[in-house]
Amino acid sequence: SPPDNLAMRKICPIRWAYCATPAYLEEMGVPKSLKDLEQHDCLVYPGVSDAWKFRDENGVIKDLNIKNIIQANSSITLLQAALLDQGVVCLPTYVLGDYIRSGKFIPLLQDAQINDREYFLYALYFPSKYRTPKVRSFIDFILGALAPRAPWDTWMVDEAIS
């Protein structure tokens, strides 16, 4: 929930993706399942621990025994390490989208559920100002620009959106 003096409006979902460079995948192979990530060098954002878990054949969620070669709470640091062919990274698609479209990253395990919880982008505003046409128009513009699919997610395949 927003701070007491602010209101919020949900804009769009924040999706996450596993990626690696073509050079890294050529050398190390392409993981076919979350469990396969245990054989790869992993670049870990500590706040997204769900990304490094898998569901076993009984439906029990377990930690992956990954080779965590770099851990940083900076998406820019992990992005740069991944671009230097250092391993598999899991980051928000708003960080990865342009790199995937340009071919610098290959998306991996697209069917995997990365987080048990959902993340969203919100517009925060002072409630009294939302009644003004400028603020309302700006939020409506942002909603229109990011729906039904945010520009950074245009590479994703989704049968629900053609």
Side-chain angles (χ1 to χ4, degrees):
S1 68
D4 289 339
N5 61 337
L6 295 175
M8 69 180 179
R9 187 163 174 197
K10 188 186 296 185
I11 302 293
C12 68
I14 299 295
R15 295 178 173 87
W16 293 71
Y18 296 99
C19 286
T21 59
Y24 173 84
L25 295 172
E26 185 176 318
E27 180 181 337
M28 300 299 292
V30 177
K32 304 290 186 209
S33 70
L34 287 172
K35 190 83 169 126
D36 288 350
L37 290 175
E38 293 181 341
Q39 307 307 313
H40 287 267
D41 297 330
C42 297
L43 314 174
V44 177
Y45 195 98
V48 192
S49 59
D50 293 348
W52 309 105
K53 295 180 185 288
F54 75 104
R55 194 176 300 272
D56 71 9
E57 59 278 353
N58 298 318
V60 177
I61 296 174
K62 296 184 176 180
D63 290 330
L64 288 165
N65 185 24
I66 58 171
K67 291 183 277 182
N68 176 2
I69 65 160
I70 297 175
Q71 180 171 318
N73 64 354
S74 164
S75 58
I76 301 302
T77 299
L78 296 173
L79 176 71
Q80 292 304 314
L83 286 169
L84 293 171
D85 310 320
Q86 297 299 300
V88 175
V89 68
C90 182
L91 290 172
T93 56
Y94 64 79
V95 173
L96 300 170
D98 288 342
Y99 296 97
I100 292 170
R101 277 194 303 277
S102 70
K104 290 181 181 175
F105 282 136
I106 305 296
L108 307 167
L109 308 168
Q110 291 187 57
D111 293 335
Q113 181 180 346
I114 294 174
N115 296 299
D116 282 340
R117 61 187 177 268
E118 293 182 308
Y119 295 90
F120 291 92
L121 175 65
Y122 292 91
L124 294 175
Y125 55 91
F126 292 106
S128 61
K129 295 190 188 249
Y130 188 63
R131 292 185 185 95
T132 66
K134 287 181 184 178
V135 173
R136 186 176 54 249
S137 294
F138 177 72
I139 293 173
D140 290 344
F141 171 78
I142 295 297
L143 274 167
L146 299 180
R149 164 112 34 223
W152 53 80
D153 284 343
T154 56
W155 59 272
M156 297 176 93
V157 176
D158 185 347
E159 294 176 19
I161 299 173
S162 52

